[in-house]
Amino acid sequence: MVFSSLLVLVRFLPCVLLIYYIVPGCLKNFWKNSVLFLFSLVFYAWGEPVYIWLMFFSTVVDYVNGGLAGYFVERGRRGVARIFVVLSVVINLSLLAVFKYAGRYALPIGISFYTFQSMSYTIDVYMGRAQAEKNPVNFGTYISLFPQLIAGPIVRFRDIAVQLRERRSNLLQIRYGVLRFCCGLGKKVLLANQAGVIFQTVTDTAAGELTMLMAWLGILAFMLQIYFDFSGYSDMAIGLMAMFGFMIPENFNYPYESKSITEFWRRWHISLGSWFKEYVYVPLGGSRRGAGHTYVNIFIVWFLTGLWHGATVNFTLWGLYFCFFLIMEKTWLLKLLKRLPVWLSHVYALIVIYFGWLLFAWEDISGHRAYVKALAGIGAGGVVSDESLYLLVSNALLLLVMLVGATSLPARIAGALTKKDGMGTAILESVYVLAVLLLSVAYLVNGTYNPFLYFRF
Amino acid sequence: MGKKILPVFVFFLVIFGLAGAGIVSQEKTYSSTEKRELQTRPKPKIKTIKKGKFQKKYERYLSDQFPARDSWVQVQTGVLRLLGKKESNGVYFGKDQYLLERYDETDFDEKQMKKNIDALKGFVQRAGKQTQVRIMMVPTKTWMMRDYLPAFAPTYDEQIFYDALYETFAGNEEVLIPVEKELALQSGDGSPQTYYRTDHHWTTAGALIGYEAYLKSLSETDATERAAKKFPDVRVCDDFFGTTYAKVHQAGRADEIFIYEPKSDLTVVYNMGERTTDSLYETDALEGADPYSVFTGGNQGVIEISGGRENKKTLLLIKDSFANCMVPFLAEDYEKLIVVDLRQLNVGCDVLLEMFSPTDVFILYNSAQFVQDIEFMIKSAGQ
């Protein structure tokens, strides 16, 4: 299922929320967790029922491995515990290898996210950062929690271990969840999908007719689409989790406001970045073993980050592209940027990010040559055409809205408007919720274009 | 506290309200505005759930049966227009409240176009041995009214189609009626409206220009006078919202439908005796979802019209929906007029020639519909 669909908005959510709130919270949330577990399974199985077994398998494997690792750690036999950690990592990575990278099967939705979550569990138990979860329902709930199951944020077990048992829903948290969910829904349906239409138009244009203007618009549209798509999904996930009483870490922090690539990766897909940092970079020695080692470690992390997105060359290139700039920044570029005017840093970061998306946007890199030519204005399509002017004129306002929307300005304005806890704020927030919901429904009733980009990963 | 949770209340009200409205609302099996079957609630079966078929159908059902679906579409298109979009669902918002379908290269597929034109030529060669053949390809509204398109709006260059047509019929051009040129001549100020604002068809006045061009191509000296006498001046509908409107649910202005009442006593037999009447109009259709069906009750397989004129002439009109409003003009000029819509019929053209032994054959299509008729090739080939 996709959050931003009529199915979820007018069927799935009303059902799960209603039953979840009715069921009692006794026995350390056993009943509430059971409801979430069951609905999560339905949510996951809806699209491809077969793959439910895959998730089951992954869940059982990590429940057993984590439990055994915990058992031996408690008894001081870390050597034996390590076997189960290795087993967990090997099995999860094999699942990824077979189902994601071998290219023989249709990609099971969310596999890159839930395998990473369950690996983090066994590792955390082994490292003593978390207690093994003995209750299979709680563990199953953690792995399959539908809000973040298929596109993150990647939640580490220790972030919500206590919440699984002890959380209480309260109305203020639900209010936060509702506002956050609507924010994400709007980003996805009203903005990302529209940016997607522009990008699709450019992608569908034959190489011979692709003009310079169109090529630049295409990458810009993709840059906006992927941000609103993915951060909108994370907003919806965080909002839904709040409605169920969970607090989970943020995944985005206005990445396009960054002043360097180092900063960008602290603001973009934060949960993936910190996962690699915690479970790959630091165990490899991080930056503690001298400059040479540090660069090797950075290289490994970024190679894997690229690979995580897919087996095709373009994703690996994309990871290494960022690796290059990160090492440049670490060695000398950041120092230089600090001495330059701030706006120049912004321009630098945006340009690097912009061309990064050029690598990312198409899995088949054979078309890149022609596209780069078009970007440079020496393509077969020339500089401008009626088609490209039409694309610009009819989307100018939308693009402007999205460019402003990608900054923190709207949030700051909203914050200022709703500073006081009065009737005015309540009405303003209600109008916002109503407007986003109704407009999104209108877009969904008519719209046919509603993909989630990060479902591919 | 009470005030603070107002947005929560609103959120739950909306999702539960929409869920409830969806459950109690009546199922529809057909959308008359979109002209397609709607998905009804699928029955869950283990087999269909396993394969995911049920799930797909259920999602389509939710969208198809969404309460007040048309109004939601209207809201969405309205917002997109506010944001500066010049088109929605493949429809341009043109000048002077004209809604213009967007046609691209894919709508005029080069291969299909060549196949159909070649098939047409083959048929004309065979039919031309015993009958007088005329062909009229009516341009799309979008092409004729390209000046009305939004700035820079891309559109298919239909001249490519006409060039291909004239090239194929080189040496035999007299069978082609240059209706695209006649329509262009009569598109200035003071000319009648030739296409509807909210529908893809030409108006009855537009069809009259086509009729005059047909007469001229037959070297009738009084073509202009005869056409002028048939000017459609009976207004039968003043709130017509056509097929283009149905795609966007946005229109600044409704269309009017005018008809011409033939003076002769006609006998009209639908579909080989399925129904016999004395009128070419179905006024009941005006109240229905598709008022354009007022002309001959929509597309029919075969219509046999007699009583026009005793001149021993039989015209076989092979056509699509663009001809429906021209039939009343033609009916009075022939002793027998056979109107055939190949898309509604499982018979080839050569069989029709044998069946009706016409003295004249007139092939009238809209350019886009002609190119897109993938069966034309087969059916025009005979058996």
Side-chain angles (χ1 to χ4, degrees):
Chain A
M1 276 189 220
V2 177
F3 290 160
S4 58
S5 67
L6 294 174
L7 178 69
V8 165
L9 286 179
V10 306
R11 287 289 184 278
F12 186 80
L13 267 192
C15 286
V16 66
L17 288 170
L18 189 70
I19 297 174
Y20 181 83
Y21 291 134
I22 288 174
V23 157
C26 59
L27 294 175
K28 291 199 185 286
N29 282 322
F30 174 77
W31 299 111
K32 285 196 188 286
N33 287 348
S34 304
V35 170
L36 280 181
F37 189 29
L38 273 178
F39 271 95
S40 295
L41 293 183
V42 172
F43 185 90
Y44 189 75
W46 183 267
E48 274 157 298
V50 191
Y51 283 149
I52 193 85
W53 303 112
L54 197 63
M55 198 178 69
F56 252 143
F57 176 70
S58 176
T59 308
V60 171
V61 161
D62 286 292
Y63 176 74
V64 173
N65 283 323
L68 287 170
Y71 177 85
F72 287 108
V73 165
E74 262 174 41
R75 276 153 190 76
R77 300 180 62 183
R78 295 183 65 83
V80 185
R82 179 176 286 194
I83 296 174
F84 297 106
V85 175
V86 171
L87 205 58
S88 159
V89 171
V90 167
I91 293 175
N92 276 303
L93 292 182
S94 312
L95 284 184
L96 276 179
V98 172
F99 287 95
K100 185 170 178 168
Y101 296 105
R104 288 182 55 191
Y105 304 97
L107 182 74
I109 211 163
I111 189 168
S112 314
F113 292 91
Y114 68 73
T115 47
F116 268 51
Q117 285 206 170
S118 57
M119 272 192 281
S120 83
Y121 164 71
T122 336
I123 298 172
D124 278 0
V125 168
Y126 171 72
M127 303 291 282
R129 287 185 291 222
Q131 289 260 303
E133 176 61 67
K134 301 212 168 58
N135 184 331
V137 169
N138 283 357
F139 185 72
T141 310
Y142 159 67
I143 296 294
S144 66
L145 259 179
F146 78 87
Q148 34 76 262
L149 168 67
I150 39 188
I154 300 167
V155 180
R156 291 168 309 188
F157 181 67
R158 65 173 192 271
D159 292 332
I160 61 165
V162 178
Q163 298 181 39
L164 277 166
R165 297 161 182 282
E166 318 260 310
R167 72 182 184 282
R168 293 238 178 291
S169 312
N170 70 58
L171 279 166
L172 281 183
Q173 207 181 355
I174 296 175
R175 168 178 161 276
Y176 173 76
V178 164
L179 291 171
R180 195 66 195 266
F181 178 81
C182 288
C183 173
L185 184 68
K187 275 184 178 175
K188 165 66 187 153
V189 179
L190 307 179
L191 301 178
N193 285 359
Q194 299 309 309
V197 172
I198 305 174
F199 176 68
Q200 199 58 50
T201 312
V202 175
T203 303
D204 292 344
T205 304
E209 284 159 33
L210 192 70
T211 62
M212 184 175 171
L213 176 62
M214 240 180 187
W216 283 88
L217 273 178
I219 301 291
L220 179 66
F222 185 78
M223 178 168 170
L224 292 165
Q225 182 190 8
I226 196 154
Y227 168 67
F228 285 113
D229 193 276
F230 196 15
S231 79
Y233 192 92
S234 292
D235 287 335
M236 284 189 273
I238 292 166
L240 282 171
M241 289 294 265
M243 286 188 226
F244 297 121
F246 287 97
M247 292 282 284
I248 57 170
E250 290 291 332
N251 215 12
F252 285 88
N253 183 22
Y254 309 107
Y256 294 155
E257 284 188 351
S258 305
K259 292 188 287 291
S260 67
I261 297 309
T262 310
E263 190 184 349
F264 173 73
W265 278 102
R266 278 190 219 121
R267 290 164 168 259
W268 176 276
H269 204 174
I270 300 166
S271 66
L272 182 72
S274 42
W275 198 98
F276 274 115
K277 190 173 179 189
E278 186 170 347
Y279 297 104
V280 179
Y281 185 68
V282 172
L284 284 174
S287 54
R288 286 165 295 153
R289 292 203 203 157
H293 242 291
T294 307
Y295 299 139
V296 172
N297 291 345
I298 292 178
F299 176 84
I300 292 173
V301 165
W302 289 94
F303 176 75
L304 291 176
T305 303
L307 195 65
W308 181 87
H309 286 85
T312 47
V313 184
N314 71 312
F315 293 124
T316 310
L317 285 176
W318 181 73
L320 297 179
Y321 170 84
F322 279 114
C323 176
F324 172 77
F325 284 99
L326 286 167
I327 291 176
M328 289 292 116
E329 287 184 3
K330 221 174 170 81
T331 43
W332 58 275
L333 193 56
L334 269 187
K335 282 178 218 144
L336 175 71
L337 286 171
K338 280 213 178 96
R339 272 186 269 140
L340 296 173
V342 175
W343 66 266
L344 218 57
S345 301
H346 282 296
V347 170
Y348 151 75
L350 282 173
I351 289 175
V352 174
I353 296 164
Y354 182 93
F355 285 104
W357 293 131
L358 171 66
L359 281 174
F360 192 90
W362 295 280
E363 287 181 16
D364 178 13
I365 56 168
S366 61
H368 276 76
R369 244 178 90 96
Y371 202 92
V372 170
K373 271 190 173 175
L375 278 174
I378 52 170
V383 179
V384 286
S385 64
D386 274 4
E387 275 88 348
S388 46
L389 283 173
Y390 176 73
L391 197 68
L392 177 65
V393 169
S394 57
N395 290 297
L397 191 58
L398 184 74
L399 286 169
L400 191 69
V401 169
M402 286 194 279
L403 286 171
V404 175
T407 68
S408 56
L409 188 65
R412 278 186 277 144
I413 293 173
L417 286 176
T418 56
K419 214 153 62 192
K420 276 193 237 145
D421 270 339
M423 202 57 195
T425 296
I427 290 176
L428 219 57
E429 286 175 346
S430 305
V431 170
Y432 167 71
V433 166
L434 191 68
V436 172
L437 270 182
L438 294 184
L439 280 179
S440 299
V441 167
Y443 271 58
L444 290 173
V445 168
N446 193 22
T448 44
Y449 187 84
N450 189 21
F452 253 123
L453 295 187
Y454 260 73
F455 279 14
R456 286 192 295 161
F457 304 128
Chain B
M1 185 71 186
K3 283 176 294 201
K4 273 191 163 179
I5 59 158
L6 190 63
V8 177
F9 179 73
V10 169
F11 180 78
F12 282 86
L13 195 72
V14 171
I15 63 170
F16 283 101
L18 288 175
I23 289 165
V24 298
S25 71
Q26 281 282 323
E27 264 193 16
K28 277 185 269 174
T29 49
Y30 184 76
S31 163
S32 44
T33 48
E34 289 168 272
K35 301 220 163 17
R36 65 181 180 93
E37 305 274 332
L38 296 178
Q39 174 69 48
T40 52
R41 184 201 295 271
K43 286 203 180 68
K45 284 186 199 128
I46 305 245
K47 210 172 145 192
T48 55
I49 291 176
K50 260 187 169 167
K51 283 191 175 159
K53 274 187 189 163
F54 167 79
Q55 289 90 319
K56 283 208 182 84
K57 277 189 178 171
Y58 193 85
E59 295 203 50
R60 207 171 331 125
Y61 148 78
L62 272 184
S63 158
D64 277 5
Q65 302 290 345
F66 207 81
R69 195 169 190 281
D70 292 352
S71 309
W72 292 102
V73 174
Q74 198 167 11
V75 167
Q76 195 240 5
T77 322
V79 174
L80 286 182
R81 283 186 82 175
L82 274 179
L83 278 172
K85 288 268 181 186
K86 309 279 189 276
E87 66 177 301
S88 171
N89 283 353
V91 175
Y92 286 123
F93 303 109
K95 297 187 185 109
D96 195 19
Q97 321 266 24
Y98 273 91
L99 298 175
L100 303 154
E101 278 94 355
R102 178 177 178 156
Y103 294 99
D104 295 312
E105 264 84 31
T106 45
D107 297 301
F108 281 83
D109 181 72
E110 217 175 311
K111 276 188 196 152
Q112 191 67 42
M113 181 156 89
K114 190 171 169 6
K115 278 183 190 167
N116 283 6
I117 293 177
D118 287 345
L120 181 66
K121 189 186 180 192
F123 172 66
V124 168
Q125 277 171 348
R126 293 192 301 279
K129 286 175 191 150
Q130 355 157 359
T131 63
Q132 173 156 259
V133 185
R134 287 293 176 269
I135 297 167
M136 179 179 286
M137 291 290 159
V138 186
T140 65
K141 172 168 74 171
T142 314
W143 180 243
M144 279 320 294
M145 304 189 72
R146 51 194 183 276
D147 293 346
Y148 285 66
L149 285 169
F152 311 119
T155 189
Y156 176 76
D157 179 1
E158 232 162 281
Q159 196 53 50
I160 297 171
F161 167 75
Y162 286 103
D163 287 348
L165 190 67
Y166 283 95
E167 199 183 307
T168 309
F169 282 89
N172 198 14
E173 287 95 348
E174 73 279 0
V175 300
L176 297 173
I177 304 171
V179 67
E180 71 286 359
K181 288 169 194 148
E182 294 290 335
L183 283 169
L185 284 175
Q186 303 206 35
S187 63
D189 286 334
S191 315
Q193 184 184 343
T194 44
Y195 287 87
Y196 294 109
R197 282 189 167 76
T198 67
D199 196 89
H200 67 289
H201 290 111
W202 56 354
T203 62
T204 319
L208 188 66
I209 296 173
Y211 172 69
E212 188 185 332
Y214 173 68
L215 293 181
K216 278 184 190 163
S217 82
L218 297 175
S219 316
E220 304 275 346
T221 45
D222 56 348
T224 310
E225 296 87 75
R226 265 164 73 186
K229 272 188 211 152
K230 296 190 178 181
F231 192 80
D233 49 7
V234 184
R235 190 174 73 183
V236 290
C237 179
D238 59 2
D239 58 350
F240 173 44
F241 290 101
T243 49
T244 325
Y245 169 81
K247 289 182 183 166
V248 290
H249 294 277
Q250 296 271 322
R253 230 169 119 180
D255 277 304
E256 298 173 318
I257 298 179
F258 286 92
I259 61 169
Y260 160 72
E261 292 275 19
K263 308 288 180 287
S264 337
D265 290 328
L266 301 174
T267 309
V268 184
V269 181
Y270 284 112
N271 300 326
M272 325 297 274
E274 181 186 289
R275 200 158 61 87
T276 306
T277 150
D278 59 356
S279 168
L280 290 166
Y281 298 107
E282 288 294 323
T283 41
D284 288 350
L286 292 168
E287 307 302 320
D290 182 17
Y292 186 76
S293 301
V294 68
F295 301 103
T296 70
N299 291 327
Q300 310 287 341
V302 189
I303 311 173
E304 297 169 73
I305 304 156
S306 47
R309 205 199 257 191
E310 286 181 22
N311 58 2
K312 298 264 188 284
K313 281 173 104 179
T314 299
L315 173 65
L316 175 63
L317 174 62
I318 298 171
K319 60 97 206 174
D320 67 10
S321 58
F322 269 65
N324 295 4
C325 58
M326 201 202 274
V327 168
F329 301 139
L330 295 168
E332 288 182 306
D333 296 347
Y334 295 90
E335 190 160 323
K336 249 188 163 189
L337 169 58
I338 316 291
V339 185
V340 169
D341 195 321
L342 289 178
R343 299 167 305 175
Q344 313 282 326
L345 213 61
N346 236 338
V347 197
C349 285
D350 291 356
V351 178
L352 294 169
L353 284 179
E354 225 167 89
M355 250 166 94
F356 297 106
S357 332
T359 52
D360 293 77
V361 173
F362 185 13
I363 298 153
L364 197 172
Y365 275 81
N366 162 241
S367 54
Q369 294 186 46
F370 172 73
V371 173
Q372 287 167 16
D373 184 359
I374 49 167
E375 285 191 347
F376 183 84
M377 209 176 54
I378 307 159
K379 287 181 173 168
S380 61
Q383 327 335 306

